[in-house]
Amino acid sequence: MSKIPIALSWSGGKDCSYALHLIQQEGKYEVKYLLSTCNTHTRELNMHHLHESLMAAQAAAIGIPLKVWYVNAAQNASYEAAFKNIVAALQQEGIYHIAFGDIFLADIRQYREQLLHPLGMHCIFPLWQKPSNLLIQEIIAAGFKSIVCCIASLKMEQHWLGKTLDNTNIATLPKEIDACGENGEYHTFCYDGPVFQHPLSVLATEVSSQRMPLHANELTIFSWIHLHLVPQG
């Protein structure tokens, strides 16, 4: 039986990387594309502040093509308009499923489903309702390596930026922080793991900060560390 072709929403972090791993292990679906949304001007993910070149390097190391669509702002209207265009392009190739690395935020899942279902698309959530404290241990045990690239500065201290997520560091997370950062406390860049054909090497440089929305009616200060690819060989 042939596998069902799907696309995977790609933020460059540990969750979407592990979702890809689970999808590949299950064997029901074939991920044809990784999908990323970048700011038109900065060419970065709006929340994670990862440059599209980093995701492109991940895609090349994984062996799955990256599709990027660009939005002028972080508003939902801009995102939705761009997303409809990429959905139309996917459907022309017979792709009617998109997977996401969401874990437990019901409002985010509902938003995705309400956006995609009217367009004739199906949503897949490989990590849904896995307990965060167990999920992060699964991700690390499976061999995924990632570094903290962005934090909500009012929730986490700046020394977390650039740290590798391993059992030692996870054990020192503040108790009020979700182990996977699902509430937006932190974001990661994954540079190695079972889905990669070879690891990536990155250099972390200066730190930047900006006041941005964490949720619909909540502003916080996000800090991120600038990551740059180190040429191989």
Side-chain angles (χ1 to χ4, degrees):
M1 182 180 295
S2 59
K3 296 180 181 180
I4 299 171
I6 68 170
L8 171 62
S9 179
W10 190 258
S11 66
K14 62 182 178 10
D15 298 334
C16 59
S17 299
Y18 192 57
L20 173 60
H21 179 55
L22 294 184
I23 290 168
Q24 292 178 334
Q25 283 190 319
E26 182 183 13
K28 179 180 179 181
Y29 302 101
E30 180 181 358
V31 179
K32 292 290 191 178
Y33 295 105
L34 307 179
L35 306 179
S36 293
T37 312
C38 290
N39 184 283
T40 304
H41 305 291
T42 65
R43 301 285 170 157
E44 294 178 340
L45 293 175
N46 278 320
M47 294 298 295
H48 301 63
H49 293 282
L50 294 173
H51 193 269
E52 66 176 311
S53 60
L54 292 165
M55 275 86 71
Q58 287 176 317
I62 291 168
I64 298 176
L66 176 72
K67 276 186 179 291
V68 180
W69 75 94
Y70 302 95
V71 295
N72 291 320
Q75 286 84 4
N76 284 351
S78 177
Y79 172 85
E80 291 168 7
F83 200 59
K84 288 178 181 179
N85 292 331
I86 204 162
V87 162
L90 292 174
Q91 290 178 339
Q92 287 182 352
E93 296 189 43
I95 300 172
Y96 291 87
H97 296 72
I98 298 180
F100 298 91
D102 301 305
I103 303 171
F104 61 73
L105 295 178
D107 57 334
I108 298 297
R109 175 170 179 159
Q110 183 181 39
Y111 171 75
R112 300 196 195 285
E113 292 175 336
Q114 289 178 345
L115 174 63
L116 287 168
H117 286 175
L119 301 176
M121 300 294 288
H122 302 277
C123 298
I124 302 166
F125 299 91
L127 309 183
W128 190 247
Q129 292 189 333
K130 285 179 173 287
S132 291
N133 60 329
L134 299 180
L135 178 58
I136 191 63
Q137 293 174 16
E138 283 184 26
I139 293 171
I140 294 170
F144 285 93
K145 297 178 181 178
S146 56
I147 60 176
V148 177
C149 62
C150 181
I151 58 169
S153 298
L154 301 182
K155 296 178 179 289
M156 295 179 68
E157 296 182 8
Q158 199 169 97
H159 69 79
W160 277 96
L161 288 170
K163 274 195 173 186
T164 298
L165 280 187
D166 55 26
N167 288 321
T168 300
N169 287 330
I170 287 298
T172 66
L173 274 174
K175 292 182 180 179
E176 65 273 16
I177 300 299
D178 180 74
C180 287
E182 181 70 349
N183 293 310
E185 301 97 331
Y186 73 89
H187 301 291
T188 59
F189 176 78
C190 188
Y191 60 89
D192 196 12
V195 298
F196 288 80
Q197 298 172 11
H198 60 81
L200 299 176
S201 180
V202 294
L203 175 67
T205 57
E206 71 275 13
V207 172
S208 298
S209 298
Q210 181 181 356
R211 187 175 295 276
M212 297 175 64
L214 178 60
H215 297 298
N217 298 312
E218 181 183 353
L219 287 176
T220 192
I221 298 172
F222 279 91
S223 296
W224 63 94
I225 196 161
H226 294 261
L227 299 179
H228 308 275
L229 287 169
V230 176
Q232 304 275 320

